[in-house]
Amino acid sequence: MLKKIFLIFTVFFICTAAYAAEPIRADYNKKGQFYIYKIDLKELGPRIRPYMVKDGLKTAREVFKENDFDFVVNGGFFDPVSAKSVSYVTINQKLEGSPFESMEMIENLNREGRIDNVLNRSEFRIYRHATIGLLKFDITKHFDPVPEGYDILHSLGGGPMLCPSFNLEEEGFVKYDETQKPVLQAAHVLKKRARTILALKKDYLYVIIFSNFAPATMSEVNQKLKKYRFEKIMALDGGPSTSLNWEDFEIASSNNDQRKVKSFLIIQK
């Protein structure tokens, strides 16, 4: 009888442990090159969204503590002088950030012939089905169509896309002359910098951080992540903006402190 009770308890414990897997799993790759956070979209999907600082800029630490969020990572590009977003950000179907908040940037892009490329940069999207409320997650370009029956609930722009295509030129991050020498470079994509990366695979969102202790070019990021066979990969703002808070762990990449930025990707409690 005792053996039978013990067997039932053991089976129950194993099944419960398997069911109660951590919705966020953190790891540091074996070569010490980057942090990787595996986020279960089935469990946490409804709690994931962008967050925008209304007035001015804030660090990930400030947003994490002031709002009691579970997870905070820096978001898209912004103008540090005007404290306005220069990436598209949609929260609860409302456009909260846009490149057109900096008309000076738009005019410069127009003169450089890059405006169409920059406006169509990559973004992380969360769709919601219009009738049944089902959520769907994607990484796509800004002007790509929305799946039939869905609306864009949230989106967070950044770029470039790294997988399934490597879009440095297509998204206006680099421009080459006739000898293939780079004559223009945005976001230091050809230099070693800290990086904030989003990736999708099956029912998981991955947040990947290359800190300032292991900086990488975008090409190096692409090569180092190939073995994971992610379905889609994109970058967010990086360099000194790269920052993250989760539980009691913090990443900072700006002189060993966190830079104040405009937008974030967060997980609500």
Side-chain angles (χ1 to χ4, degrees), residues 171-190:
E171 295 184 25
F173 283 96
V174 66
K175 191 173 183 179
Y176 297 97
D177 63 16
E178 62 277 359
T179 66
Q180 290 304 298
K181 179 181 177 180
V183 293
L184 184 149
Q185 180 182 178
H188 300 290
V189 292
L190 303 178

Side-chain angles (χ1 to χ4, degrees), residues 39 48-51 71-75 124 126 156 198 205 207 236 263-267:
I39 300 168
I48 299 171
R49 65 172 177 87
Y51 177 89
F71 187 95
V72 176
V73 65
N74 72 283
F124 171 64
I126 302 177
L156 179 60
L198 298 182
L205 169 68
V207 176
L236 291 172
S263 64
F264 302 85
L265 186 67
I266 63 94
I267 299 178

